[in-house]
Amino acid sequence: MMGNLSILFPSQPLFELVPMSPDKKADAELAPWPGSHAMPRWSVGELTDAPLFQWKNALAMIGPGLVMGAAAIGGGEWLAGPAVTAKYGGALLWIGTVSILFQVIYNIEISRYALYCGEPIFSGKFRIPPHPMFWVLIYFMLDWGSIAPYLAVNAAIPLEAIFLQRLPDPDNIPRDWWVHKFVATGLYLLVLIPLIFGGKIYNSLKVVMSFKLVAVITFLLFLGIFFSRPATWGEIFSGLFQIGTVPVLRGEDLNGNGILDPGEDFDRDGRLDVNEGLPPTIDTNGDGNPDAWEKDAEGNEIRFRDQDGDGKRDGYATENVFVYLWNHGTFPTLNLSLIATLGSLAAIAGNGGLTNAPISNFTRDQGWGMGSKVGAIPSVVGGHGISLSHEGCVFVVDEESLPRWRRWYRHILRDQLFVWMGACLIGVSLPSILSVEFLPRGTEASSWTGAAMTAGGVQDRVTDPAPGTLAYMPALRSLISGPNLGRFFWGATLFCGFLVMITSHTTTTDGFVRRWVDVFWTASPQLRKLPGTAVKYVYFFVLCGCAVLGLTILWTMDKPGKVFEMSTTFYNFAFAFSSWHTLVVNTTLLPPQLRPNWGVRIGLVLSGLYFAALGLLMSMKLFGYIS
């Protein structure tokens, strides 16, 4: 961790201060116009000083990290995370940790750009040659996942379960299908309300996300403290840092003695399990290598034989690549059947895709750095007197402004490292504690039913606390457990899942609209003729168009889980490309004194490689190249 911090807090200055001569200072005050001249020239203003950090006003200084950190407790943490941990425990959570660390570097870098010129990072990307319209086509293709209403669709499942008092089955019960469509539609429209009222849209989001953060973390902490065993907390915490651990298929008898020795009971069922998986036997493409399985009478592939009659496939396990390589001299054989879910966890652990980009917009709307000279996007209702400039405003880099710049940069570091990253790590950990503690190891939890299945496990545990938990103690057992409380916590867990996903959909929708409104507000010659207060109408128009597209996808798609996988596949490719593009922006458009050091540049390159590799593996899974 200290190695990563040294990248973000370089011990040596990035540059030396050289006093400007009067002639050079006069030249510098001419408004710069870097990149494509299809974008407007920047104006020049004075960089105000960053607020002095004091513990007594620490909450008042929290900015974009709060909104985006609360948004980060969303689909990846509530859907993909439990789907992974229910099957493999906490050992694979390091994938989310690495994703979050790369996103921290990215978030700080896009904020660096906004601090300098008051523009969001998307406007900076469109300043890179050849032309803004070129980047419109590229990013529209990459931003498809943000339009797909997978969060609203998944938020509908736990809400329907509360009213139906059972898990809905829209695939097989026609009535459930119609109920699911109408509930999802209502929720999708509900997320638009905070984006229409409240003055600054950013302020409305801040209120909603503050409530979500407090409510969700308080609820999950209560369950984790009183109904989870210390060993589960240890498993989750250690899993965040078990870098190199991968999923494999193998039996539990590691030493071959036929006895269930300590450490071999991977799924904690008290039996010595064997790998029940069956190899493919059908050669579909005639290459001599079987690549498909025989099917049963119902058309399902026969991928395993249930030898012990427990109703589930045994043999899921994990290995650490580095330990296995040291002991055996070869790499373990990976089980890539869950690669789509693992890739989804990495894609939206934290924020992911292009949904991180609004951090730079919020940096501006918060008035940080040069954002105070530019303005903000007002809501259609209540946004009187708030306007947004069509172009950025930069400051003259000299011996007076550079110390102020450093203080703003440290301000961003605090917000991202302590608020955003802290919320993300908590958001990955706490929902996973529920699935590890309350679901049997090896549970097949699909992404869109995982929240409801976890709620059933919570109900059983609250009804009858397990030995080793605080709730098992006689003094507490009669107070916080029993059948009635079990049923209450079943509903509360479902509602918590609903709250997590529906609020995250609000920020995802706002982020998509905000990205494109900001870009066109700056890049379009026609929109540049409008007064600054008219941006709220542009925002509302794009919001309505986004809603139409989202509802079209909602009513035409059949499998919510498939849309989730496709969306997160695009997220991985989008974040990879955006990382590299941000590196280009900050090393070409910013003055040399303000550009990132080499440690940060390498971090952005590695970030792109990490997410591009995951996107490629997920694509191979989606198109059937990985079974």
Side-chain angles (χ1 to χ4, degrees), residues 14 28 88 126 178 203 233 236 286 339 346 402 408 421 426 435 456 464 523 602:
L14 301 179
Y88 290 104
F126 280 57
W178 284 104
N203 291 340
W233 284 82
I236 295 298
I339 189 60
L402 279 169
W408 275 117
M421 187 170 72
I426 292 172
S435 60
D464 185 17
I602 293 172

Short mmCIF file of all heavy atoms in Angstrom, two decimals, residues 14 28 88 126 178 203 233 236 286 339 346 402 408 421 426 435 456 464 523 602:
data_model
loop_
_atom_site.label_atom_id
_atom_site.label_comp_id
_atom_site.label_asym_id
_atom_site.label_seq_id
_atom_site.Cartn_x
_atom_site.Cartn_y
_atom_site.Cartn_z
N LEU A 14 7.67 17.89 -8.55
CA LEU A 14 7.61 17.52 -9.96
C LEU A 14 8.36 18.51 -10.83
O LEU A 14 8.63 18.25 -11.98
CB LEU A 14 6.13 17.48 -10.40
CG LEU A 14 5.23 16.49 -9.65
CD1 LEU A 14 3.83 16.59 -10.19
CD2 LEU A 14 5.76 15.09 -9.74
N ALA A 28 1.94 34.71 -20.83
CA ALA A 28 1.21 33.60 -20.22
C ALA A 28 -0.24 33.95 -19.95
O ALA A 28 -1.11 33.09 -19.90
CB ALA A 28 1.88 33.17 -18.90
N TYR A 88 -16.96 -19.11 -3.71
CA TYR A 88 -15.53 -19.29 -3.43
C TYR A 88 -15.07 -18.67 -2.11
O TYR A 88 -13.89 -18.71 -1.80
CB TYR A 88 -14.71 -18.65 -4.56
CG TYR A 88 -14.79 -19.41 -5.86
CD1 TYR A 88 -15.57 -18.93 -6.91
CD2 TYR A 88 -14.10 -20.60 -6.04
CE1 TYR A 88 -15.65 -19.62 -8.11
CE2 TYR A 88 -14.18 -21.30 -7.24
CZ TYR A 88 -14.96 -20.80 -8.26
OH TYR A 88 -15.03 -21.49 -9.45
N PHE A 126 -12.19 15.56 -25.59
CA PHE A 126 -12.67 16.02 -26.88
C PHE A 126 -11.81 17.15 -27.43
O PHE A 126 -11.98 17.55 -28.58
CB PHE A 126 -14.13 16.46 -26.77
CG PHE A 126 -15.10 15.31 -26.78
CD1 PHE A 126 -15.01 14.28 -25.87
CD2 PHE A 126 -16.10 15.24 -27.75
CE1 PHE A 126 -15.89 13.22 -25.88
CE2 PHE A 126 -16.98 14.18 -27.78
CZ PHE A 126 -16.88 13.16 -26.85
N TRP A 178 -44.92 -9.88 -16.09
CA TRP A 178 -45.57 -8.58 -16.21
C TRP A 178 -45.33 -7.71 -14.98
O TRP A 178 -45.08 -6.52 -15.09
CB TRP A 178 -47.08 -8.76 -16.44
CG TRP A 178 -47.40 -9.20 -17.83
CD1 TRP A 178 -47.76 -10.45 -18.25
CD2 TRP A 178 -47.38 -8.39 -19.01
NE1 TRP A 178 -47.96 -10.47 -19.61
CE2 TRP A 178 -47.74 -9.22 -20.10
CE3 TRP A 178 -47.09 -7.06 -19.25
CZ2 TRP A 178 -47.83 -8.75 -21.40
CZ3 TRP A 178 -47.18 -6.57 -20.55
CH2 TRP A 178 -47.54 -7.42 -21.60
N ASN A 203 -26.11 18.86 -5.59
CA ASN A 203 -26.56 18.96 -4.21
C ASN A 203 -27.63 17.93 -3.90
O ASN A 203 -27.67 17.33 -2.81
CB ASN A 203 -27.07 20.36 -3.89
CG ASN A 203 -25.96 21.40 -3.89
OD1 ASN A 203 -24.79 21.05 -3.75
ND2 ASN A 203 -26.32 22.66 -4.06
N TRP A 233 -15.17 -12.44 9.19
CA TRP A 233 -14.54 -11.13 9.03
C TRP A 233 -13.10 -11.29 8.59
O TRP A 233 -12.61 -10.58 7.70
CB TRP A 233 -14.60 -10.35 10.35
CG TRP A 233 -15.94 -9.77 10.65
CD1 TRP A 233 -17.00 -10.42 11.22
CD2 TRP A 233 -16.39 -8.44 10.40
NE1 TRP A 233 -18.07 -9.57 11.34
CE2 TRP A 233 -17.73 -8.34 10.86
CE3 TRP A 233 -15.80 -7.31 9.85
CZ2 TRP A 233 -18.48 -7.18 10.78
CZ3 TRP A 233 -16.54 -6.13 9.78
CH2 TRP A 233 -17.86 -6.08 10.22
N ILE A 236 -12.91 -12.36 4.87
CA ILE A 236 -13.19 -11.27 3.94
C ILE A 236 -12.02 -10.29 3.91
O ILE A 236 -11.57 -9.86 2.83
CB ILE A 236 -14.49 -10.54 4.33
CG1 ILE A 236 -15.69 -11.48 4.18
CG2 ILE A 236 -14.68 -9.29 3.48
CD1 ILE A 236 -15.94 -11.98 2.78
N GLY A 286 -15.60 -29.96 -34.95
CA GLY A 286 -14.82 -30.91 -35.72
C GLY A 286 -13.32 -30.74 -35.65
O GLY A 286 -12.60 -31.20 -36.55
N ILE A 339 -15.74 -16.45 -15.10
CA ILE A 339 -14.96 -15.27 -15.48
C ILE A 339 -15.86 -14.06 -15.75
O ILE A 339 -15.47 -12.92 -15.48
CB ILE A 339 -14.08 -15.56 -16.72
CG1 ILE A 339 -13.10 -14.41 -16.98
CG2 ILE A 339 -14.94 -15.84 -17.94
CD1 ILE A 339 -12.14 -14.14 -15.87
N ALA A 346 -14.94 -6.79 -11.00
CA ALA A 346 -13.86 -5.82 -11.23
C ALA A 346 -14.37 -4.57 -11.94
O ALA A 346 -13.94 -3.46 -11.65
CB ALA A 346 -12.75 -6.46 -12.05
N LEU A 402 1.26 28.21 -7.76
CA LEU A 402 1.66 26.80 -7.58
C LEU A 402 1.46 26.30 -6.16
O LEU A 402 1.00 25.16 -5.98
CB LEU A 402 3.11 26.63 -8.02
CG LEU A 402 3.27 26.49 -9.55
CD1 LEU A 402 4.72 26.58 -9.96
CD2 LEU A 402 2.67 25.19 -10.04
N TRP A 408 -4.75 22.41 -3.34
CA TRP A 408 -5.95 21.82 -3.95
C TRP A 408 -5.73 20.35 -4.29
O TRP A 408 -6.62 19.52 -4.11
CB TRP A 408 -6.33 22.59 -5.21
CG TRP A 408 -7.18 23.80 -4.98
CD1 TRP A 408 -6.85 25.09 -5.24
CD2 TRP A 408 -8.49 23.82 -4.44
NE1 TRP A 408 -7.88 25.93 -4.90
CE2 TRP A 408 -8.92 25.18 -4.40
CE3 TRP A 408 -9.38 22.83 -3.98
CZ2 TRP A 408 -10.16 25.55 -3.92
CZ3 TRP A 408 -10.62 23.21 -3.51
CH2 TRP A 408 -11.01 24.55 -3.48
N MET A 421 -12.20 5.80 -1.52
CA MET A 421 -11.63 4.46 -1.44
C MET A 421 -12.12 3.73 -0.19
O MET A 421 -12.40 2.53 -0.23
CB MET A 421 -10.10 4.51 -1.45
CG MET A 421 -9.46 3.12 -1.54
SD MET A 421 -7.68 3.16 -1.83
CE MET A 421 -7.10 3.75 -0.23
N ILE A 426 -15.31 -0.76 2.01
CA ILE A 426 -16.41 -1.17 2.88
C ILE A 426 -17.55 -1.75 2.05
O ILE A 426 -18.15 -2.77 2.41
CB ILE A 426 -16.90 0.02 3.72
CG1 ILE A 426 -15.84 0.44 4.74
CG2 ILE A 426 -18.21 -0.32 4.45
CD1 ILE A 426 -16.16 1.72 5.47
N SER A 435 -23.01 -12.99 2.33
CA SER A 435 -23.07 -14.20 1.51
C SER A 435 -22.16 -15.30 2.05
O SER A 435 -22.51 -16.48 2.02
CB SER A 435 -22.71 -13.87 0.06
OG SER A 435 -21.41 -13.35 -0.03
N GLY A 456 -32.71 -14.70 2.36
CA GLY A 456 -33.18 -15.94 2.97
C GLY A 456 -32.19 -16.49 3.99
O GLY A 456 -32.58 -16.98 5.06
N ASP A 464 -32.30 -18.28 14.11
CA ASP A 464 -31.55 -19.21 14.95
C ASP A 464 -30.06 -18.88 14.85
O ASP A 464 -29.36 -19.42 13.99
CB ASP A 464 -31.81 -20.65 14.49
CG ASP A 464 -31.16 -21.68 15.40
OD1 ASP A 464 -30.80 -21.33 16.54
OD2 ASP A 464 -31.00 -22.84 14.95
N ALA A 523 -18.59 21.82 -26.97
CA ALA A 523 -18.13 21.52 -28.32
C ALA A 523 -19.06 22.03 -29.41
O ALA A 523 -18.62 22.31 -30.53
CB ALA A 523 -17.94 20.00 -28.48
N ILE A 602 2.61 5.44 -15.19
CA ILE A 602 2.70 3.97 -15.27
C ILE A 602 1.42 3.34 -14.70
O ILE A 602 0.91 2.35 -15.22
CB ILE A 602 3.95 3.48 -14.53
CG1 ILE A 602 5.20 3.94 -15.28
CG2 ILE A 602 3.94 1.96 -14.39
CD1 ILE A 602 6.50 3.67 -14.52
#
